[in-house]
């Protein structure tokens, strides 16, 4: 068989989540972030679902944009981190520019192609990653004057819009507003200012500007883990289910060590299931003795260390189970559910990493 983990992606959930985003952002234009293969959900299929409902797609690198273009996706694509000039023209992409050198390269390529390129300019208001920092307006105005370049958008990115204390995020919004005012005062007519990631869409109406730029929410998760926004969170539907079929069932007596390092030893006569998912499938080794999966509608514990391709689960308390039955790693079964946020807490990480790890390694199937 191929690798054992299957990621089932429900495309209707994506539409539902987009509606939640539009409601929260007062129907601003949406830049749908589909980088990292749509956070593990498959960028081509997700983008096909979104093309008629969003205004832009955003990817990290031009290679991702090329894949979308090759699949017939024609809406504007913003490339967040990779201004490869040749690809930008070849695939008709919108680069994000965070320094003058890149702008000059693009301008030369534009002249060579005898074409114009629309760009978005990135300003660093507090993320400390990429973008113009000093003399921001002056440099942006210089770029606007380069041949073949027209600045269609100005963007920035939050470093912590996911906290209850919104003071740093508000400071970033204030800086962004100041830059906007300065550019407009200098006669630069930029159509689209945007800064709102999912966290900001969920909690900061002041962050909406001319468009919103969510990723995580599209896939059904709120980046906010505070109880205050639970009601919003519940409207989102996680689009990804991850499952694997039980490979083997074994009756093992008391005092049997399970898996590498004997970190789990049975305390009773046990029924142990072996499932074909391991850390090579993105099921982190941190889940060793530290996660649950769903079998027959019941949460059962992972026992012993997670291996490269296999994981053991304790099925002793499950009444009816057979080899070949499904074990749900993320998803619902009966009245129970496990989501990527829960796994993230256990592995001391964030749902983003759980989704990209599991989703990008499993075989994907789609429901719509
Ligand atoms: C990934 C990313 C987003 C989307 O962030 P979410 O938290 O997933 O909504 C938006 N903007 C930029 C620049 C990003 O890198």
């Amino acid at each position: 068989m191929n690798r054992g983990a299957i990621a089932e992606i429900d495309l209707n959930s994506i539409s539902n989540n987009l509606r939640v985003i539009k409601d929260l952002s007062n129907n601003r234009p949406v830049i749908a972030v589909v980088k990292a293969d749509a956070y593990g959900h498959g960028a081509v299929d997700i983008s096909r679902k979104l093309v008629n409902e969003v205004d832009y797609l955003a990817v990290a690198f031009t290679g991702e944009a090329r894949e979308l273009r090759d699949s017939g996706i024609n809406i504007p694509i913003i490339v967040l981190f990779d201004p490869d000039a040749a690809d930008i023209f070849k695939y008709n992409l919108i680069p994000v520019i965070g320094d003058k050198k890149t702008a000059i390269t693009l301008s030369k390529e534009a002249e060579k192609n005898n074409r114009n390129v629309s760009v978005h300019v990135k300003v660093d208001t507090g993320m400390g990653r990429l973008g113009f920092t000093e003399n921001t307006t002056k440099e942006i105005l210089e770029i606007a004057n380069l041949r073949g370049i027209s600045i269609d958008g100005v963007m920035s990115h939050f470093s912590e819009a996911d906290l209850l204390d919104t003071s740093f995020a508000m400071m970033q919004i204030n800086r962004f507003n100041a830059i906007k005012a300065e550019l407009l005062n200098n006669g630069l007519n930029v159509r689209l200012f945007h800064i709102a990631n999912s966290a900001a869409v969920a909690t900061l109406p002041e962050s909406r500007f001319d468009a919103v730029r969510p990723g995580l929410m599209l896939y059904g998760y709120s980046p906010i883990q505070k109880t205050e926004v639970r009601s919003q969170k519940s409207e989102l539907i996680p689009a990804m289910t991850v499952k694997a079929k039980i490979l083997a069932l074994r009756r093992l007596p008391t005092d049997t060590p399970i898996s590498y390092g004997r970190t789990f030893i049975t305390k009773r006569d046990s029924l142990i299931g072996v499932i074909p998912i391991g850390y090579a499938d993105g099921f982190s080794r941190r889940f060793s003795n530290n996660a649950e999966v769903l079998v027959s509608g019941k949460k059962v514990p992972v026992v012993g260390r997670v291996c490269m391709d296999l994981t053991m689960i304790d099925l002793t308390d499950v009444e009816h189970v057979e080899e070949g039955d499904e074990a749900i790693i993320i998803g619902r079964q009966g009245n129970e559910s496990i989501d990527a946020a829960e796994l993230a807490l256990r592995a001391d990480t964030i749902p983003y990493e759980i989704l990209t790890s599991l989703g990008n390694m499993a075989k994907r199937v789609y429901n719509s």
Side-chain angles (χ1 to χ4, degrees):
M1 71 181 191
N2 296 318
R3 296 206 70 83
I6 292 179
E8 246 175 48
I9 312 297
D10 180 42
L11 294 172
N12 287 327
S13 304
I14 302 284
S15 297
N16 169 80
N17 300 333
L18 179 61
R19 187 189 49 73
V20 175
I21 289 165
K22 287 187 173 177
D23 286 351
L24 282 170
S25 56
N26 247 348
N27 284 311
R28 289 290 192 287
V30 173
I31 301 165
V33 180
V34 295
K35 65 191 182 193
D37 225 348
Y39 292 42
H41 296 66
V44 169
D45 290 83
I46 296 297
S47 300
R48 283 200 179 121
K49 184 72 185 175
L50 292 172
V51 277
N52 294 323
E53 301 177 70
V54 302
D55 303 82
Y56 296 82
L57 298 168
V59 296
F61 306 106
T62 59
E64 300 173 296
R66 186 194 322 141
E67 192 194 1
L68 298 179
R69 288 287 184 249
D70 287 347
S71 310
I73 285 158
N74 289 323
I75 70 169
I77 301 178
I78 296 173
V79 184
L80 295 169
F81 308 126
D82 175 10
D84 182 303
D87 278 354
I88 295 293
F89 285 92
K90 185 164 176 207
Y91 298 104
N92 192 19
L93 309 172
I94 302 167
V96 171
I97 297 181
D99 62 89
K100 198 163 171 201
K101 191 167 122 250
T102 307
I104 290 169
T105 308
L106 275 164
S107 168
K108 286 187 181 144
E109 188 76 15
E111 283 200 282
K112 205 173 92 191
N113 286 277
N114 205 8
R115 271 169 60 191
N116 226 41
V117 62
S118 293
V119 306
H120 288 207
V121 164
K122 176 159 38 194
V123 295
D124 186 350
T125 54
M127 173 65 183
R129 190 167 69 176
L130 290 166
F132 291 99
T133 47
E134 291 158 53
N135 299 322
T136 291
T137 5
K138 184 170 152 279
E139 285 204 283
I140 295 173
L141 293 168
E142 284 167 14
I143 287 177
N145 286 327
L146 291 172
R147 278 211 220 148
I149 303 246
S150 57
I151 300 177
D152 254 14
V154 174
M155 61 173 279
S156 193
H157 194 47
F158 286 112
S159 78
E160 52 168 47
D162 55 337
L163 300 185
L164 272 188
D165 176 357
T166 59
S167 53
F168 194 79
M170 285 309 299
M171 184 281 290
Q172 286 195 255
I173 290 174
N174 291 340
R175 281 190 185 169
F176 198 48
N177 263 319
I179 291 163
K180 178 177 172 176
E182 242 180 280
L183 290 175
L184 297 183
N185 284 342
N186 280 282
L188 189 69
N189 215 344
V190 177
R191 211 164 45 81
L192 223 57
F193 285 82
H194 51 100
I195 186 170
N197 58 359
S198 295
V201 167
T203 59
L204 292 169
E206 303 89 338
S207 73
R208 289 171 189 156
F209 288 86
D210 306 307
V212 294
R213 207 174 65 228
L216 190 70
M217 269 184 138
L218 278 171
Y219 310 104
Y221 289 89
S222 168
I224 321 277
Q225 280 170 11
K226 306 293 183 299
T227 45
E228 277 81 341
V229 288
R230 273 277 154 77
S231 57
Q232 286 170 5
K233 191 175 157 188
S234 66
E235 281 183 46
L236 296 168
I237 306 174
M240 185 190 295
T241 297
V242 178
K243 51 171 81 166
K245 286 190 168 157
I246 297 172
L247 192 68
L249 286 177
R250 304 178 72 221
R251 294 245 166 236
L252 298 172
T254 312
D255 278 337
T256 306
I258 304 291
S259 195
Y260 291 115
R262 297 181 289 132
T263 59
F264 181 87
I265 301 188
T266 56
K267 289 170 201 64
R268 53 184 175 168
D269 288 352
S270 299
L271 181 64
I272 301 296
V274 184
I275 54 175
I277 183 171
Y279 58 79
D281 303 290
F283 191 64
S284 171
R285 199 162 170 278
R286 293 188 178 201
F287 296 131
S288 301
N289 296 304
N290 182 32
E292 293 174 314
V293 305
L294 295 172
V295 174
S296 300
K298 209 169 172 157
K299 284 190 174 178
V300 299
V302 167
V303 289
R305 291 219 174 114
V306 171
C307 309
M308 186 182 290
D309 313 280
L310 301 171
T311 294
M312 271 61 83
I313 53 180
D314 186 352
L315 296 167
T316 315
D317 295 328
V318 176
E319 272 167 31
H320 300 288
V321 58
E322 292 176 21
E323 287 177 358
D325 282 0
E326 277 180 349
I328 307 280
I329 288 86
I330 296 178
R332 313 190 138 271
Q333 203 180 46
N335 296 324
E336 294 284 359
S337 72
I338 293 173
D339 67 20
E342 180 179 332
L343 284 178
L345 281 178
R346 288 182 181 271
D348 193 20
T349 182
I350 49 178
Y352 302 72
E353 188 179 359
I354 301 291
L355 294 173
T356 50
S357 303
L358 288 169
N360 281 333
M361 291 190 221
K363 171 182 158 48
R364 284 194 210 105
V365 296
Y366 292 87
N367 300 330
S368 55

